[in-house]
Amino acid sequence: LWGGALHPRQPSVAATAGGHNVQLWDLRSMELSAQTAGAHRMPVRDVSFSPADDHRIVSAGDDCKLRLWDTRMLGSGTLEGGGGGECMLES
């Protein structure tokens, strides 16, 4: 597990394990409920839920990009930022 976040109000976890995907897990059933296919061009480093919107998560990857996702349609990123030069990732 490289990065993960508990949903602030729902029984779910967003996680990444060093691949190119973001996964959502249902804590009630302990089953994978959704995942992206190729969230980033390089490994995903971290994910976080939005504190203001129950259906939004953000992912950060080694490709120096942030991607905003709607958990109801996890297959496609809704907004992308960064990637305009060097980036620094800290653990």
Side-chain angles (χ1 to χ4, degrees), residues 14 22 24 48-50 55-59 67-69 71 74:
V22 173
L24 282 182
S48 183
F49 282 98
S50 167
H55 301 289
R56 299 276 184 216
I57 59 174
V58 65
S59 61
R67 294 196 73 189
L68 182 65
W69 305 89
T71 59
L74 203 54

Side-chain angles (χ1 to χ4, degrees), residues 8-90:
R9 290 171 291 284
Q10 297 177 9
S12 62
V13 170
T16 181
H20 297 240
N21 297 334
V22 173
Q23 300 176 340
L24 282 182
W25 290 84
D26 184 325
L27 294 176
R28 294 167 294 199
S29 65
M30 298 305 290
E31 292 184 1
L32 182 64
S33 57
Q35 73 175 336
T36 65
H40 289 265
R41 292 185 183 154
M42 295 178 73
V44 181
R45 285 289 176 169
D46 207 359
V47 293
S48 183
F49 282 98
S50 167
D53 185 333
D54 282 348
H55 301 289
R56 299 276 184 216
I57 59 174
V58 65
S59 61
D62 280 352
D63 56 3
C64 298
K65 295 194 183 225
L66 297 175
R67 294 196 73 189
L68 182 65
W69 305 89
D70 186 324
T71 59
R72 297 166 292 190
M73 303 177 299
L74 203 54
S76 60
T78 57
L79 183 65
E80 182 178 286
E86 291 186 33
C87 68
M88 178 184 281
L89 297 173
E90 296 180 13

